[in-house]
């Protein structure tokens, strides 16, 4: 179920909002929280219910690992939790990519596993990995099962981000004001949502039609048509991600929750560094705080190595293919420049 689909706009969202506030008013915040968990799980399952066990297994393993980290302060639990997340992500997102490269390098003939990529796996995996690291650093406590489940599954962020952090989201679940209808938040949320919807449906989707038409006839293009297609594709990506990011913020505001801003007019950037700070803000922050700095940052004379590893990882995060690796490497060189 996409944010711009009729099912979401005219059925799922209004029913969810109505029942959320009605349940909170009639029975209390705890039941409204349970309802929002149920609604989020239903939202995720609508895409493909076969993905639900994958999400729930990830949540169960990370919740247990986080509890053990908080209780024992042992690094082994952190390593085990992160290893699980990386292997989990590698299997579902990169298995066929690895097999293709193994076949090429080793002249083998491994068959594709043809794994269907679970919806939002990168987002809920990174969200939980950050939680494990923070737990080891002593920056969290043992959350309740319901708080943790809602933190990971809350539907505005689940399919396209942003990457959210426990210290920003979970405290909101305990505030009674979140369960009372707030006209100002609702009005702001609708505004954010409508602006994002316009960017997605009117601009991005139209640009997608133009770009697809050009790419389908790539062998017979003039130079102006080629540049036009490239520009259309650029604008499609820009307004698609910008639109989804704003719709997510708007939906959360309608529910009285604050999601982090994930997109801030990157084409207004004055430098490549400023660009990365504006485009997919939560991913850039994750890579910086949970990869670049733990690698050593700019200390010990390994600044360029650490940037290279971080940017290559960021490139691969976007997709399983050498084009993404090359893009990450190219971004690293631009960053240094």
């Amino acid at each position: 179920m996409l944010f711009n689909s009729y099912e979401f706009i005219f059925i799922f969202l209004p029913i969810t909002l109505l029942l959320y506030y009605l349940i909170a008013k009639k029975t209390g915040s705890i039941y409204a929280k349970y309802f929002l968990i149920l609604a989020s799980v239903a939202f995720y399952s609508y895409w493909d219910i076969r993905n639900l066990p994958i999400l729930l297994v990830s949540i169960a393993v990370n919740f247990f690992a986080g509890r053990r980290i908080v209780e024992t302060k042992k690094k082994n639990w952190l390593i085990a939790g992160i290893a699980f997340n990386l292997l989990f992500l590698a299997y579902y997102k990169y298995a066929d990519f690895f097999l293709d490269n193994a076949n090429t390098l080793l002249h083998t003939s491994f068959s594709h596993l043809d794994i269907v990529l679970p919806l939002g796996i990168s987002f809920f995996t990174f969200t939980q990995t950050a939680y494990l690291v923070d737990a080891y650093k002593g920056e969290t406590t043992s959350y309740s099962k319901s708080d943790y489940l809602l933190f990971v599954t809350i539907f505005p962020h689940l399919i396209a981000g942003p990457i959210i952090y426990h210290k920003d989201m979970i405290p909101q679940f305990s505030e009674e004001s979140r369960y009372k209808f707030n006209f100002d938040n609702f009005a702001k949320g609708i505004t954010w949502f409508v602006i994002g919807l316009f960017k997605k449906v009117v601009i991005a989707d139209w640009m997608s039609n133009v770009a697809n038409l050009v790419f389908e006839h790539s062998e017979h293009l003039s130079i102006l048509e080629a540049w036009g297609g490239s520009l259309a594709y650029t604008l499609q990506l820009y307004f698609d991600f910008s639109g989804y990011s704003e719709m997510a913020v708007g939906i959360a505001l309608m529910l009285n929750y604050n999601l982090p801003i994930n997109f801030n007019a990157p084409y207004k950037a004055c430098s490549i560094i400023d660009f990365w700070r504006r485009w997919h803000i939560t991913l850039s922050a994750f890579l910086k705080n949970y990869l670049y700095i733990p690698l050593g940052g700019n200390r010990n004379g390994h600044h360029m190595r650490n940037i290279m590893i971080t940017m290559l990882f960021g490139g691969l995060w976007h997709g399983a293919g050498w084009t993404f690796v090359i893009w990450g490497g190219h971004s690293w060189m631009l960053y240094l420049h």
Side-chain angles (χ1 to χ4, degrees):
M1 194 186 314
L2 300 176
F3 291 162
N4 59 305
S5 67
Y6 292 124
E7 298 94 331
F8 181 83
I9 295 172
F10 296 113
I11 300 175
F12 179 84
L13 183 59
I15 291 175
T16 299
L17 290 169
L18 178 63
L19 291 179
Y20 173 72
Y21 288 114
L22 188 62
I23 291 171
K25 184 177 181 179
K26 297 294 185 181
T27 62
S29 59
I30 185 65
Y31 291 102
K33 185 193 300 183
Y34 291 152
F35 168 74
L36 191 53
I37 293 170
L38 202 59
S40 297
V41 169
F43 171 83
Y44 188 80
S45 301
Y46 183 86
W47 188 276
D48 188 342
I49 198 169
R50 292 173 298 177
N51 290 336
L52 182 59
I54 298 169
L55 173 64
L56 296 180
V57 166
S58 175
I59 291 172
V61 171
N62 279 274
F63 179 77
F64 175 76
R67 275 279 179 92
R68 297 302 296 156
I69 291 169
V70 171
E71 292 169 358
T72 67
K73 307 298 181 186
K74 291 184 177 179
K75 197 172 185 177
N76 288 344
W77 283 108
L78 173 64
I79 295 171
I82 292 177
F84 170 82
N85 285 339
L86 291 177
L87 291 172
F88 199 72
L89 190 61
Y91 174 75
Y92 283 104
K93 194 169 183 177
Y94 305 107
D96 285 336
F97 173 66
F98 293 146
L99 289 175
D100 282 340
N101 284 279
N103 288 338
T104 300
L105 293 173
L106 304 175
H107 304 291
T108 53
S109 55
F110 295 115
S111 300
H112 271 198
L113 300 177
D114 294 324
I115 300 167
V116 177
L117 184 65
L119 184 67
I121 187 171
S122 296
F123 292 103
F124 66 71
T125 300
F126 276 28
T127 288
Q128 295 185 100
T129 300
Y131 162 71
L132 295 180
V133 174
D134 289 349
Y136 181 73
K137 292 160 64 176
E139 297 179 2
T140 182
T141 57
S142 293
Y143 296 119
S144 68
K145 295 183 180 69
S146 60
D147 279 348
Y148 187 81
L149 190 57
L150 181 56
F151 157 62
V152 179
T153 63
I154 189 167
F155 70 89
H157 96 102
L158 197 52
I159 59 172
I163 298 170
I164 57 177
Y165 299 96
H166 63 96
K167 53 191 172 185
D168 298 324
M169 287 302 300
I170 292 183
Q172 296 184 54
F173 303 152
S174 301
E175 299 172 6
E176 288 297 321
S177 61
R178 307 287 176 178
Y179 303 92
K180 298 176 181 177
F181 182 81
N182 183 306
F183 181 81
D184 288 341
N185 280 345
F186 196 79
K188 291 175 184 176
I190 289 178
T191 302
W192 275 94
F193 183 81
V194 170
I195 291 172
L197 185 64
F198 178 85
K199 288 181 176 180
K200 165 61 181 165
V201 174
V202 177
I203 303 178
D205 288 355
W206 186 80
M207 288 294 175
S208 173
N209 293 332
V210 175
N212 290 339
L213 183 63
V214 171
F215 293 153
E216 287 171 4
H217 301 85
S218 57
E219 297 178 357
H220 309 286
L221 298 177
S222 67
I223 188 168
L224 288 178
E225 290 170 334
W227 274 106
S230 298
L231 180 60
Y233 185 60
T234 300
L235 293 175
Q236 174 200 339
L237 292 178
Y238 182 95
F239 285 106
D240 189 271
F241 189 55
S242 176
Y244 259 103
S245 297
E246 290 173 4
M247 282 191 281
V249 170
I251 295 165
L253 271 175
M254 290 185 221
L255 291 163
N256 279 333
Y257 295 111
N258 297 314
L259 290 185
I261 301 298
N262 205 27
F263 197 86
N264 182 22
Y267 287 166
K268 291 182 179 179
C270 300
S271 66
I272 192 64
I273 296 175
D274 188 30
F275 178 87
W276 283 118
R277 289 173 179 166
R278 290 169 173 266
W279 187 297
H280 212 326
I281 296 168
T282 57
L283 175 61
S284 298
F286 177 90
L287 293 174
K288 175 186 175 184
N289 296 327
Y290 296 95
L291 182 59
Y292 175 69
I293 291 177
L295 284 171
N298 59 4
R299 302 188 303 274
N300 304 323
H302 297 300
H303 174 57
M304 289 190 292
R305 181 204 66 182
N306 296 338
I307 287 179
M308 180 185 70
I309 293 172
T310 302
M311 298 306 289
L312 287 174
F313 188 83
L316 193 57
W317 182 88
H318 283 85
W322 283 108
T323 51
F324 292 103
V325 175
I326 293 169
W327 173 80
H330 181 250
S331 301
W332 162 66
M333 291 184 284
L334 286 175
Y335 187 97
L336 288 179
H337 181 72

